[in-house]
Amino acid sequence: MSGTPAERQERDGGTGPEPLRHYALLADGERGILVGPYGDFVWMCAPRWDSDAVFSKLIGGRGGYTVTPVGRCVWGGYYEEGSLIWRSRWVTDDGVVECREALAFPGDPHRAVILRRVVARDTTARVAVRLEPGAGFGRHPLRDVTRHDDGSWTGRAGDLRLRWSGWPTARQAGARGGALAMDLTVEAGDHHDLVLEISDRPLGDRPPDPAAVWRSTEAAWRREVPGLHNTIARRDARQAYTVLRGLTGSAGGMVAATTTSLPERAEEGRNYDYRYVWIRDQSYAGQAAAVAGGETVLDGAVRFTTARLHEHGPRLAPAYTVDGRRIPDQRTLDLPGYPGGFNRVGNQVNEQFQLDGFGEALLLLAAAARQDRLDADAWQAAEIAADAIAQRHQEPDSGVWELAPRRWAHSRLACAAGLRAIAQAGAPAAHSGRWVALADRLVADTAAQCLHPTGRWQRSPEDPGLDGALLLPPLRGAVPADDPRTVATLHAYTEELTDDHFAYRFRHDERPLEAAEGAFLLCGFVMSLAEHQQGRAVAAHRWFERNRAACGPAGLYAEEYDVSQRQLRGNLPQAFVHALMLECSVRLAEPWPGP
């Protein structure tokens, strides 16, 4: 498509989808925005993560918000360290233009405040601005547009209320006036603020003061993000923590990703809605936060998981909405989709049983107990989880990869790890002995059913294959690092399911690994931890650095990395990858702790 970014915006309201590595994330805990390279907001659900999108061009819907230079430019950008404040940066024919942008942090569950500050560095900046909301994945355009005496504009899109302040001479544009547009000139050395509010409730009488909201947002990020001085990659580790914090809402739940329907593999149907809270992912993030000293993410994970265990007990679901509700059934949207993908909202995980979720919950609670951050309710939740394992461990489950129900070895070993961890983290003696005995039984039963003739673990009694998930239980204490089964599994996995320090989950079929799916970054970081646990420091660092580099300019990780094309695949950003990257960066700075 020809023309400068501003010309394309004027003609058709924005640019087409970009490779995922080109996007940055703004997030405030309650919702997120994906920002494209030319200042285009292509994705935002409002008011909450799992609401319908108000900006949905990423998957072929309508609705966007663009601030882009007029004329030719080369794009770039960066995060202000320890925050999700993003600076879009363009080198134009005339000089450098920046747009500082953020969601006001921490977020209000009902009202998003979007900050954009156009900064002219060494020359006058000319930018084109267009606001075209489309609630309901683009079905409901802007209406009831009114310009007020204070220079702000208000309107409605579906059930959402909007107020835009910062440029009173904007003009209505687009079909039936469903957009606001303007040409903005900022003199060298100056800046100009734009503030957009989106709410499902009535807005206040006056727009917020941008300078005050910028100050409070900066201060909040400084408070929330730990220094992380004792890591091997401090800046990236802090950035990983900010992503986890940005994805964590006021109720403590952390969504797995900001987006839905971004394909893991083009035209193969593997695209899902990850705008929900997975108990397993929550546990990974909480354990990483515990070793890093990130109390907010740890405490939120414990609070959310504890509440779900008390509410649902042995019927704990694998995932929930951010406010603890059941995930809606999967349905298809009538949209073109991200190229190669199919549009889906909701998730079929709501019908699954995943045994390992109880083990992961116990690992999370144990990590918090070691930091002296468990109250009586959380200890009771640990008892609920342990009792659920005792009651349900013989049932087939869908496992970590959410496949057809089987007696997956990883699920039972994850439960054994959780039981051992919570027993050793200060549990009452009356419980700890029983929990350790149950862990021993789980390991013995799994060995009887899922030990390969070569001495390694296999996926299930029916499936003799290898699986990257089987590297995790020894890291969490299900069996020792020097157990022959641990050593044999790591060796076989390295030989058969890794290539050039990229790792894959399992073998789908006889195709080459990279032809069946992308390298799974979670498994790459788990390999780093496994080598570190074995005392092989050089190998651990090689795995860490290889997988740390599998991101875009904004430092965001997707679920998979297409090695051949060097592209991100799947929903963005994938929280559990950031969690394992953070944990690696902390653990590799010290020798592996003893048993």
Side-chain angles (χ1 to χ4, degrees):
M1 187 171 291
S2 61
T4 67
E7 289 168 344
R8 294 199 299 271
Q9 172 186 286
E10 185 65 27
R11 181 177 62 240
D12 60 13
T15 59
E18 296 279 339
L20 296 183
R21 67 191 315 274
H22 290 176
Y23 290 110
L25 170 74
L26 312 179
D28 63 3
E30 309 298 341
R31 78 284 294 170
I33 297 171
L34 287 192
V35 187
Y38 297 107
D40 43 337
F41 287 4
V42 299
W43 182 255
M44 178 188 180
C45 297
R48 304 295 294 273
W49 295 106
D50 59 334
S51 303
D52 286 358
V54 67
F55 304 144
S56 56
K57 289 183 179 177
L58 183 71
I59 60 171
R62 295 193 61 80
Y65 179 20
T66 303
V67 176
T68 197
V70 174
R72 301 193 318 149
C73 63
V74 175
W75 70 273
Y78 60 96
Y79 283 110
E80 296 179 12
E81 186 174 349
S83 77
L84 289 182
I85 299 173
W86 175 254
R87 283 184 177 263
S88 294
R89 185 178 188 272
W90 303 282
V91 180
T92 72
D93 289 331
D94 299 321
V96 177
V97 180
E98 290 189 352
C99 187
R100 190 183 193 221
E101 31 210 2
L103 276 160
F105 178 75
D108 180 313
H110 297 281
R111 171 174 164 262
V113 179
I114 303 168
L115 304 171
R116 307 193 82 167
R117 172 174 285 180
V118 179
V119 181
R121 287 295 182 190
D122 51 0
T123 189
T124 298
R126 294 183 303 128
V127 297
V129 182
R130 185 183 181 97
L131 171 63
E132 188 175 11
F137 295 100
R139 296 191 307 274
H140 306 297
L142 183 65
R143 71 180 196 279
D144 302 337
V145 179
T146 304
R147 181 187 178 281
H148 299 271
D149 292 340
D150 61 4
S152 65
W153 295 79
T154 59
R156 302 285 292 269
D159 294 330
L160 298 174
R161 296 168 169 86
L162 295 90
R163 178 165 57 199
W164 194 37
S165 53
W167 199 252
T169 59
R171 64 185 185 278
Q172 286 187 253
R176 300 181 182 179
L180 290 170
M182 65 183 179
D183 299 315
L184 175 63
T185 299
V186 182
E187 299 299 328
D190 203 355
H191 69 265
H192 187 93
D193 284 304
L194 301 169
V195 180
L196 174 63
E197 301 163 80
I198 302 176
S199 177
D200 64 352
R201 293 182 175 180
L203 295 165
D205 294 335
R206 301 180 61 182
D209 172 44
V213 181
W214 274 117
R215 286 194 298 270
S216 64
T217 296
E218 294 160 2
W221 280 116
R222 285 195 297 269
R223 289 193 306 270
E224 290 289 332
V225 179
L228 297 180
H229 295 285
N230 189 26
T231 70
I232 64 169
R234 179 175 179 269
R235 185 182 181 92
D236 285 357
R238 296 191 80 211
Q239 198 60 49
Y241 185 89
T242 66
V243 171
L244 299 178
R245 178 61 186 90
L247 299 179
T248 300
S250 52
M254 179 200 71
V255 293
T258 304
T259 56
T260 181
S261 303
L262 300 186
E264 297 173 5
R265 201 76 177 170
E267 308 297 345
E268 291 195 8
R270 296 205 302 268
N271 38 271
Y272 308 100
D273 189 350
Y274 283 0
R275 301 171 299 153
Y276 307 110
V277 183
W278 265 256
I279 297 298
R280 178 190 307 107
D281 297 21
Q282 187 92 81
S283 172
Y284 293 164
Q287 291 178 79
V291 299
E295 295 176 354
T296 303
V297 169
L298 173 60
D299 291 346
V302 168
R303 187 167 70 252
F304 188 90
T305 303
T306 294
R308 303 291 80 75
L309 282 166
H310 277 282
E311 187 175 3
H312 296 116
R315 295 296 164 185
L316 180 76
Y320 296 87
T321 66
V322 287
D323 52 357
R325 292 176 289 111
R326 181 183 184 272
I327 292 176
D329 292 338
Q330 185 172 278
R331 62 185 176 89
T332 302
L333 298 173
D334 185 19
L335 291 174
Y338 188 86
F342 307 92
N343 290 300
R344 297 186 174 115
V345 293
N347 199 295
Q348 61 191 6
V349 73
N350 60 11
E351 302 294 339
Q352 292 183 358
F353 166 52
Q354 295 178 16
L355 177 67
D356 66 305
F358 294 107
E360 295 296 347
L362 289 176
L363 286 166
L364 167 66
L365 297 174
R370 291 192 292 270
Q371 305 293 324
D372 196 25
R373 303 193 72 82
L374 280 199
D375 59 15
D377 280 348
W379 275 110
Q380 187 177 2
E383 295 178 33
I384 293 170
D387 289 346
I389 294 171
Q391 176 182 332
R392 304 195 66 181
H393 71 271
Q394 294 184 355
E395 298 178 33
D397 77 297
S398 293
V400 61
W401 309 132
E402 301 177 356
L403 304 173
R406 288 183 181 176
R407 291 181 174 84
W408 297 105
H410 165 266
S411 295
R412 282 133 191 85
L413 294 176
C415 288
L419 289 163
R420 294 196 199 286
I422 196 67
Q424 296 167 5
H431 296 310
S432 61
R434 185 170 75 252
W435 292 346
V436 170
L438 179 56
D440 290 342
R441 178 184 171 190
L442 287 170
V443 173
D445 288 350
T446 306
Q449 299 173 7
C450 300
L451 195 64
H452 192 267
T454 61
R456 60 165 175 82
W457 297 112
Q458 64 182 46
R459 301 184 74 201
S460 73
E462 307 85 7
D463 187 340
L466 287 157
D467 196 310
L470 292 170
L471 303 181
L472 268 168
L475 298 173
R476 305 308 189 199
V479 291
D482 59 357
D483 186 296
R485 296 165 295 192
T486 300
V487 176
T489 302
L490 177 57
H491 176 75
Y493 179 83
T494 304
E495 290 294 314
E496 297 184 32
L497 285 177
T498 74
D499 183 23
D500 196 22
H501 287 83
F502 285 114
Y504 297 82
R505 292 184 298 168
F506 52 86
R507 185 169 288 283
H508 289 262
D509 47 43
E510 296 306 313
R511 289 177 293 173
L513 292 170
E514 69 277 6
E517 71 172 6
F520 214 75
L521 297 180
L522 174 93
C523 295
F525 287 120
V526 169
M527 274 295 300
S528 176
L529 292 175
E531 294 285 18
H532 185 47
Q533 186 186 42
Q534 295 297 321
R536 296 191 282 265
V538 173
H541 281 74
R542 288 189 68 185
W543 277 100
F544 175 76
E545 294 297 347
R546 186 60 155 158
N547 287 267
R548 178 164 74 116
C551 61
L556 302 180
Y557 297 99
E559 189 172 35
E560 298 180 13
Y561 185 70
D562 187 324
V563 174
S564 298
Q565 299 183 48
R566 300 180 187 268
Q567 296 287 359
L568 309 184
R569 303 296 187 209
N571 284 299
L572 186 77
Q574 190 75 32
F576 63 43
V577 180
H578 293 79
L580 267 295
M581 183 272 170
L582 172 63
E583 183 177 353
C584 277
S585 69
V586 176
R587 291 200 184 276
L588 266 61
E590 301 286 346
W592 189 268

